[in-house]
Amino acid sequence: MPNGTDWIVLGDQAARLRVSREYVVLEDHWIPTWLEISVNGRPNDGPDPEGFARVEVNRNGVPRLVEFAFRASDPESQGIRQADFREVEVSALVEELVAGFTFRAQRGPDGESIVEPPLEGSDAYLEALRFIGRRRAGRTSRDITPELLERVARVYRSNIDRHPTKAVEHHFQVSQRMAAEYVSRARKRGLLPPTKRGQKRA
């Protein structure tokens, strides 16, 4: 069992949660490397069974359900029923759990770091949910939106004295070719100035 983290009691103490203090960083998203949840009993039907789940996130930011268990400890209960298994939606369990603890760090107009907590139902949570869903579905390539290109331009400009395209490649976890495509599209949108071959301009 992981050490160094305490259980967080949720709601009316029907569930407890533990979250890793280590994160996988992809683009500007910070994803915990593991989470565990323990649920005590059925919400509306007695004390059993107890449920436990562990989700782990690999270095590519893909969360996986690696452990799941029911336990019926009350000898007078009905024990574990088929309905208990039918009620488990693995994708929803994994994605909603991880999204609730995935933080996105953005730069403010003055360059300060802004982190919006992914509170359930908030825009930050819904964005994290979409991001985690794409990771699990294997759709790691993303739409090249105006917002993405603005972020590309910021990363490029902040690394202009070193290797700006390489910085884009590493920041967004894309291939060298795709990083160059991002930079090219940012230039076409006027987010970066035109450049001559062999020259860097930002």
Side-chain angles (χ1 to χ4, degrees), residues 34-201:
W34 58 262
L35 303 95
E36 293 178 342
I37 188 168
S38 175
V39 180
N40 300 318
R42 302 183 183 101
N44 301 310
D45 189 18
D48 279 329
E50 301 168 9
F52 173 83
R54 176 178 170 87
V55 174
E56 294 181 354
V57 178
N58 66 22
R59 64 181 183 177
N60 294 318
V62 179
R64 305 170 302 131
L65 182 66
V66 298
E67 187 175 352
F68 184 83
F70 282 124
R71 182 177 64 179
S73 56
D74 185 347
E76 303 301 323
S77 74
Q78 297 181 25
I80 299 169
R81 305 181 306 194
Q82 182 67 47
D84 294 318
F85 292 95
R86 285 197 296 265
E87 291 174 1
V88 177
E89 297 181 21
V90 172
S91 292
L93 169 67
V94 172
E95 294 173 15
E96 292 175 8
L97 186 60
V98 175
F101 292 88
T102 294
F103 296 86
R104 179 180 175 189
Q106 302 182 72
R107 293 291 179 184
D110 298 324
E112 75 278 17
S113 181
I114 301 174
V115 178
E116 185 178 353
L119 302 176
E120 187 172 358
S122 68
D123 289 343
Y125 173 78
L126 296 176
E127 196 279 333
L129 194 59
R130 288 191 293 269
F131 180 78
I132 295 301
R134 290 197 301 271
R135 305 304 303 181
R136 277 182 50 80
R139 295 191 296 271
T140 54
S141 62
R142 58 189 62 82
D143 294 334
I144 302 180
T145 63
E147 179 186 14
L148 173 64
L149 294 179
E150 289 173 3
R151 291 159 55 201
V152 167
R154 287 198 297 269
V155 171
Y156 188 96
R157 284 194 297 268
S158 63
N159 290 275
I160 190 63
D161 294 329
R162 295 181 291 278
H163 302 284
T165 303
K166 179 67 71 174
V168 170
E169 177 185 342
H170 289 167
H171 184 86
F172 293 96
Q173 294 289 299
V174 295
S175 67
Q176 182 179 0
R177 186 182 66 81
M178 184 57 71
E181 177 68 15
Y182 283 1
V183 172
S184 175
R185 294 202 187 193
R187 289 196 192 283
K188 289 177 181 178
R189 290 188 64 87
L191 300 170
L192 292 170
T195 185
K196 295 181 180 180
R197 183 179 298 274
Q199 293 182 337
K200 297 181 295 187
R201 295 185 63 190

